[in-house]
């Protein structure tokens, strides 16, 4: 069984640029959620994708967008980067959207915005 | 915004001692989960307790849930240096999707 993987591990961008982060879900999982974790804080929910559709969103502006592909892998896109976007971005996969199942997290992508 | 508070914010103990972390939340929940995070990397799922359960065990872990007080506790018995990490509780509320709301975490340091 393959776990959740994310790429890249680290990324440095400058303010105003755009970034794409990638996540491959665990085998057999059809739901991917994205979280942002600022330094010293707990993760905050960005959005969730189920069967290629966004089916839940946290308090993040529209410049945070995503995609899910037929193989259930996912991308997080952030446009017009701001300094406060510097954080660890985590994706989590699960089977179904009910929340009765555990969410399995990837190792994260550390984004630094200069 | 965070769902609730974790207490204490930091805990320092010796190997072999027990570690207790507490979590409070604000709204009704479907389940509550505990995660461990080492050095700012990915989260490792430890245990899930549903709203109709009061206590759950997994190895050296014991979790309790009191929905009337909107609180949970995580007990790690006979701690080891390898248990040094940040511990987060996360609640899953009544939405139709599986959004988890995390606390700010407890930093546990276990000294050999």
């Amino acid at each position: 069984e393959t776990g959740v993987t994310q790429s890249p591990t680290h990324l440095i961008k400058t303010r105003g640029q755009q970034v794409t982060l990638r996540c491959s879900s665990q085998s057999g999982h059809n739901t991917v959620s994205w979280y942002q974790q600022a330094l010293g804080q707990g993760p905050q929910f960005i959005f969730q994708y189920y069967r290629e559709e966004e089916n839940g969103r946290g308090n993040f502006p529209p410049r945070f967008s995503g995609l899910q592909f037929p193989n259930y892998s996912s991308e997080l896109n952030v446009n017009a980067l701001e300094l406060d976007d510097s954080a660890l971005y985590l994706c989590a996969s699960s089977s179904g959207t009910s929340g009765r199942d555990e969410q399995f997290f990837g190792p994260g992508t550390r984004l630094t915005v200069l | 915004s965070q769902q609730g508070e974790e207490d204490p914010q930091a805990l320092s103990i010796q190997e072999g001692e027990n570690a207790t972390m507490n979590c409070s939340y604000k709204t009704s929940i479907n389940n509550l989960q505990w995660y461990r995070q080492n050095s700012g990397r990915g989260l490792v799922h430890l245990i899930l307790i549903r709203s109709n359960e009061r206590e759950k065990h997994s190895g050296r872990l014991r979790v309790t849930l009191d929905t009337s007080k909107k609180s949970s506790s995580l007990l790690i018995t006979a701690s080891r240096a390898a248990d040094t990490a940040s511990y987060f509780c996360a609640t899953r509320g009544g939405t139709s999707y599986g959004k988890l709301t995390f606390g700010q975490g407890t930093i546990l340091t276990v000294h050999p």
Side-chain angles (χ1 to χ4, degrees):
Chain A
E1 184 176 273
T2 306
V4 180
T5 60
Q6 291 186 244
S7 63
T9 304
H10 295 89
L11 203 51
I12 300 175
K13 291 285 189 177
T14 55
R15 197 169 48 182
Q17 284 189 311
Q18 177 266 342
V19 68
T20 297
L21 311 181
R22 295 179 174 83
C23 171
S24 291
S25 61
Q26 184 164 311
S27 176
H29 287 179
N30 56 15
T31 303
V32 173
S33 302
W34 286 92
Y35 293 81
Q36 180 196 64
Q37 186 179 21
L39 199 61
Q41 302 292 316
Q44 291 206 32
F45 177 79
I46 302 175
F47 43 54
Q48 181 180 82
Y49 278 82
Y50 172 65
R51 293 185 176 176
E52 303 178 55
E53 298 278 338
E54 182 184 301
N55 74 331
R57 190 177 183 93
N59 189 26
F60 281 81
R63 59 189 186 84
F64 285 77
S65 63
L67 284 173
Q68 187 179 32
F69 301 99
N71 66 354
Y72 304 128
S73 65
S74 177
E75 287 183 355
L76 165 65
N77 300 290
V78 187
N79 294 321
L81 284 167
E82 301 176 359
L83 297 179
D84 285 348
D85 296 333
S86 293
L88 181 67
Y89 288 85
L90 297 161
C91 80
S93 74
S94 58
S95 56
T97 61
S98 67
R100 288 192 291 272
D101 296 314
E102 302 163 351
Q103 293 191 19
F104 293 87
F105 283 79
T109 293
R110 174 79 58 192
L111 172 64
T112 302
V113 182
L114 302 176
Chain B
S1 62
Q2 304 293 323
Q3 162 72 298
E5 302 288 328
E6 272 148 314
D7 170 52
Q9 290 187 329
L11 181 60
S12 181
I13 60 175
Q14 297 294 128
E15 252 187 343
E17 294 181 339
N18 295 341
T20 299
M21 288 160 267
N22 303 297
C23 166
S24 62
Y25 56 92
K26 296 174 183 173
T27 60
S28 62
I29 62 170
N30 178 292
N31 65 56
L32 185 145
Q33 305 179 38
W34 285 89
Y35 288 85
R36 184 185 74 224
Q37 185 176 42
N38 290 85
S39 301
R41 298 301 293 168
L43 297 163
V44 175
H45 188 276
L46 296 176
I47 197 164
L48 181 153
I49 187 165
R50 305 191 194 287
S51 59
N52 61 352
E53 297 176 312
R54 292 296 166 258
E55 187 171 313
K56 210 162 180 183
H57 296 256
S58 176
R60 294 183 296 113
L61 305 180
R62 173 181 171 251
V63 168
T64 61
L65 178 65
D66 187 335
T67 53
S68 66
K69 295 181 179 177
K70 291 187 171 57
S71 68
S72 174
S73 67
L74 171 67
L75 168 67
I76 304 174
T77 60
S79 62
R80 306 165 182 168
D83 294 329
T84 295
S86 293
Y87 290 81
F88 294 91
C89 69
T91 54
R92 195 287 196 187
T95 58
S96 59
Y97 53 92
K99 168 188 174 182
L100 290 176
T101 305
F102 285 83
Q104 292 194 323
T106 293
I107 301 171
L108 173 66
T109 303
V110 182
H111 299 280

